[in-house]
Amino acid sequence: MTTTPGAPIAITEIFDLLPHRYPFLLVDRVLEYDPGVSITALKNVTINEPFFQGHFPGVPVMPGMLILEALAQAGGILVSKSLDGPLGDRIFMFTGVEKAKFRRPVTPGDQLVLRCFDLKRRMTLCKMRAQASVDGKVVAEADLSAAVVDKGAV
């Protein structure tokens, strides 16, 4: 399946771009992307998420690290769509987080808008700014770094 820059990417193509599966796939849809530049994706947060059983009983809050993981997965899609060819036997590995800030809690019923932008690539290393928002309000932000590595090297 191919897409044109700017066109939405449905879950079926996300399966082709990311190795993650339930319960760890945290991107439901890509709204738009510009290869090498930016991506905007969605994560619908429901009470059925397995982490809500223990985080926290009676006061369900999405763990901040999972918000960062959702941002990293959106960034992985951006990098995949920015490469000259398909990832093939390579995967996108999260390597660092800097300047992370969590501004407000994310709860069931929220729709996370995941934005990654200001992508910089040098050989197999990537850095980008990332921001998650709900209803137009920033809930988390960070500078993320990752590497594209061979699956056999993991």
Side-chain angles (χ1 to χ4, degrees):
M1 175 184 280
T2 59
T3 57
T4 36
I9 300 174
I11 193 67
T12 51
E13 187 174 356
I14 291 170
F15 285 151
D16 294 336
L17 297 170
L18 292 176
H20 306 81
R21 295 296 180 265
Y22 177 84
F24 214 68
L25 179 60
L26 299 173
V27 176
D28 294 322
R29 182 164 199 209
V30 173
L31 298 177
E32 62 183 5
Y33 69 96
D34 185 1
V37 179
S38 66
I39 190 167
T40 303
L42 295 179
K43 164 64 179 150
N44 294 305
V45 181
T46 74
I47 193 62
N48 295 323
E49 308 285 352
F51 51 79
F52 283 135
Q53 289 181 344
H55 199 271
F56 300 98
V59 186
V61 175
M62 184 174 185
M65 293 312 292
L66 290 180
I67 298 169
L68 291 179
E69 175 63 28
L71 287 164
Q73 288 180 20
I77 295 169
L78 174 61
V79 170
S80 294
K81 296 304 258 177
S82 301
L83 296 173
D84 294 331
L87 278 173
D89 286 334
R90 299 174 294 169
I91 57 174
F92 183 77
M93 297 284 295
F94 201 13
T95 59
V97 178
E98 295 178 34
K99 301 178 187 172
K101 293 194 185 280
F102 302 99
R103 306 223 177 258
R104 54 185 71 222
V106 174
T107 58
D110 286 344
Q111 184 176 64
L112 276 175
V113 177
L114 310 166
R115 289 193 60 245
C116 295
F117 51 96
D118 199 20
L119 175 66
K120 292 176 179 42
R121 288 180 34 215
R122 184 174 297 159
M123 297 177 62
T124 61
L125 300 175
C126 307
K127 286 192 171 196
M128 67 193 81
R129 294 276 312 133
Q131 187 178 73
S133 61
V134 172
D135 295 329
K137 296 177 182 145
V138 175
V139 296
E141 58 189 326
D143 292 339
L144 306 178
S145 57
V148 178
V149 300
D150 290 328
K151 286 180 186 175
V154 177

